[in-house]
Amino acid sequence: MSLTNLIGLSFDGMKVALAKAGVPEKAIGMRARQLWNWIYVHGARDFASMSNLAKDFRALLAEQFSLARPEIVTEQISNDGTRKWLLRGSGGAEFETVFIPEPGRGTLCVSSQVGCTLNCRFCHTGTQALVRNLTPIEIVGQVMVARDALSDWPSTGENRRLTNVVMMGMGEPLYNFENVKAALTIVADGDGLALSKRRITLSTAGVVPMIRRAGDEIGSSLAISLHAARDEVRDIIVPLNKKYPIAELLQACRDYPGLSNARRITFEYVMLKDVNDSLADARELVRVIKGIPAKINLIPFNPWPGAPYECSDWEQIEKFADVVNRAGYASPVRTPRGRDIMAACGQLKSESIKQRASERLAQLRSQELRMPTQ
Ligand code: SAH
C-alpha cells in the first residue's frame, strides 16, 4: 500500500487523513495541530523526530503516511549566489525552482505548472511541449526543499533566509487556481510556512476572469506581465492578449481588492529591442495605467537558445525608465540573476519533453523486440 503524503493537504484534509488512520475523534484536532507544527514550522522530514508524540503514535504515522518532498534531480549555484533546483514530481514530471538571495531578504521563485500553455514569444518555458498542473504537494514542496537546502527552519525563526515567494517560475498560476490557492494558504499560514501575504506575489499574464478571485480568495500581492501598452504589440508577444485585451486586463487591476498606495500592483515589462522599448511606448504605458497604484518592473530580456528577440540597449532602458519615473511611478530595472545557470526570468525549461521522447523511444524499441520476425 502506498503511503499518503501529508504535505500539501489542507488542515481539514489532515484531520480527515488522521481520522481514517484510526486516531480517536477527541484527539484529532490536537494531533493535527502538532503534526502541522512539526511539518511546516520545524520542517520535520520523518515521524521519528517528532519528540513530543508518543512512540506508538509515531509508529502508526510512519506506517501510513509520508512527508516526501519532490525529488531533487540537480542543484546549480550561480556565481551570484542564485540557486536553481530541478525537481521531479509524481510520474516523472520535472520543474524548476529558483532562490535569489539579496541583502536582508531572499526570494523563492516558484513554479505552478510543468511547462506553460501561453506561448509568450520571448519566454523559454513556452517552448516546452509537456504541460501539466503541479499539485499542492509539488508547489508547497518547492518551498520546503528550499528551506531544507538553506537550513532555514524553523519557519517562524528570526533572520530567515527565505523571506518572499513569487509565483513567477514555470507556468500560469491562474490556470492552476485551486492547487495554487491550496498551496499558498499553507505558505501564508502563520502556524504553517509563515510568510505574510504581502511577501507572496502572484504573477499572471492576464487571465482576467480569475484575477478578482485571486484577490478575494488568495489575497497575495499581484504582478501583471504586461510587456506592452498597445494591443497590436501585446497580441504578438503575449498571445493571451487576443482573448483578454489590455483595457479589460487593466480594468481587472483597477478592481483588484485591497489596492492602495501601500499595496500597489507590479507591472512587469520585459525590454525587447525595437519591439516595445521606444519612448512613445513608455508614454503610452503611463497613459494606460493612469490611476492604478502601480510600480513598473523593467526586466532586461534574458536570452535563451533560439530566442527571436534581443535585449534593449542599456541606454534605452534608462531613458524608458526615466519617462515612467517622471510620471510618478517607481520603475526599478530588475537585475538579471542566475543567467549563467539559465535561472533568470523566462529561462526556465525542464527536459520533461526530452524524457518523454526517450521514453517513447524505449517503448518503441521494446515493441520492436516483441514483433515477430519474418
Ligand atoms: N505566467 C505567469 C508567471 C510567469 S512569471 C506570468 O506570465 O506572469 C515569469 C516572468 O518572466 C513574466 O513576467 C515573464 O513575462 C517574464 N519573462 C519571460 N521570459 C523572459 C525573458 N526571456 N526575459 C525576461 N523576462 C522574461
Side-chain angles (χ1 to χ4, degrees):
M1 198 189 75
S2 69
L3 304 177
T4 303
N5 195 337
L6 291 180
I7 293 175
L9 292 181
S10 66
F11 189 70
D12 283 343
M14 174 120 50
K15 289 206 267 190
V16 171
L18 292 179
K20 274 200 200 140
V23 175
E25 202 180 326
K26 275 196 315 217
I28 285 178
M30 181 187 69
R31 292 304 190 203
R33 272 193 299 281
Q34 286 173 319
L35 272 170
W36 197 261
N37 184 268
W38 276 114
I39 297 171
Y40 295 118
V41 174
H42 296 286
R45 306 190 66 164
D46 55 49
F47 297 102
S49 64
M50 300 183 174
S51 51
N52 64 349
L53 301 183
K55 265 217 167 110
D56 294 355
F57 182 52
R58 285 187 250 167
L60 175 135
L61 291 169
E63 273 166 26
Q64 312 220 17
F65 300 116
S66 88
L67 300 170
R69 280 79 162 129
E71 182 192 338
I72 299 180
V73 182
T74 53
E75 178 187 47
Q76 285 172 278
I77 304 185
S78 158
N79 48 30
D80 69 14
T82 299
R83 294 188 188 211
K84 181 169 87 168
W85 294 278
L86 175 66
L87 304 178
R88 188 177 291 144
S90 61
E94 294 181 346
F95 47 96
E96 296 183 310
T97 301
V98 178
F99 179 70
I100 306 143
E102 286 171 284
R105 61 188 252 161
T107 302
L108 191 71
C109 182
V110 170
S111 293
S112 56
Q113 299 182 306
V114 174
C116 188
T117 55
L118 292 176
N119 298 319
C120 297
R121 284 209 65 196
F122 50 85
C123 181
H124 200 202
T125 308
T127 64
Q128 179 171 336
L130 181 68
V131 180
R132 82 155 165 82
N133 283 337
L134 292 178
T135 62
I137 302 178
E138 292 164 336
I139 300 171
V140 173
Q142 294 174 59
V143 182
M144 304 192 64
V145 163
R147 282 238 154 105
D148 290 342
L150 298 165
S151 302
D152 199 33
W153 303 104
S155 304
T156 49
E158 302 221 328
N159 301 323
R160 288 177 303 184
R161 297 179 71 187
L162 197 169
T163 58
N164 293 61
V165 161
V166 293
M167 296 302 298
M168 294 187 186
M170 302 164 76
E172 170 48 53
L174 295 187
Y175 277 165
N176 185 16
F177 187 82
E178 294 301 336
N179 291 351
V180 166
K181 176 181 158 185
L184 291 183
T185 303
I186 296 171
V187 176
D189 179 1
D191 296 319
L193 287 166
L195 293 182
S196 77
K197 285 185 180 177
R198 11 178 92 240
R199 290 177 174 274
I200 302 172
T201 301
L202 187 145
S203 179
T204 177
V207 184
V208 167
M210 300 304 289
I211 290 179
R212 174 88 211 192
R213 273 191 72 194
D216 287 337
E217 298 177 33
I218 299 175
S220 63
S221 303
L222 181 67
I224 302 283
S225 292
L226 190 61
H227 306 315
R230 286 180 290 132
D231 284 321
E232 311 88 88
V233 181
R234 197 164 190 269
D235 279 349
I236 295 169
I237 60 178
V238 183
L240 182 66
N241 194 67
K242 288 186 235 158
K243 202 162 177 191
Y244 307 116
I246 293 173
E248 281 178 35
L249 174 56
L250 294 179
Q251 190 54 49
C253 292
R254 292 193 163 85
D255 297 339
Y256 192 69
L259 203 59
S260 72
N261 260 333
R263 284 202 75 204
R264 289 176 288 172
I265 289 181
T266 302
F267 288 104
E268 295 156 282
Y269 197 102
V270 64
M271 299 300 294
L272 304 172
K273 187 171 184 170
D274 298 332
V275 174
N276 64 355
D277 65 348
S278 72
L279 299 189
D281 287 317
R283 287 190 289 270
E284 185 62 6
L285 173 62
V286 297
R287 193 185 70 79
V288 294
I289 64 167
K290 200 170 163 84
I292 304 177
K295 154 174 128 181
I296 318 291
N297 213 326
L298 299 178
I299 316 176
F301 169 67
N302 291 309
W304 39 271
Y309 298 112
E310 274 177 72
C311 183
S312 308
D313 296 329
W314 192 251
E315 232 177 50
Q316 189 62 20
I317 297 180
E318 284 188 334
K319 284 188 198 155
F320 192 106
D322 236 36
V323 172
V324 177
N325 238 309
R326 270 188 274 120
Y329 297 97
S331 55
V333 179
R334 192 180 288 176
T335 318
R337 298 289 302 264
R339 270 184 177 177
D340 55 332
I341 55 166
M342 289 288 282
C345 302
Q347 292 185 314
L348 303 186
K349 175 177 179 173
S350 67
E351 302 291 323
S352 284
I353 353 155
K354 277 195 196 151
Q355 200 194 3
R356 206 167 59 159
S358 66
E359 273 165 16
R360 252 195 246 121
L361 204 68
Q363 243 172 19
L364 275 176
R365 288 216 179 102
S366 70
Q367 274 166 10
E368 269 165 22
L369 288 177
R370 272 187 266 118
M371 272 204 277
T373 42
Q374 286 170 347

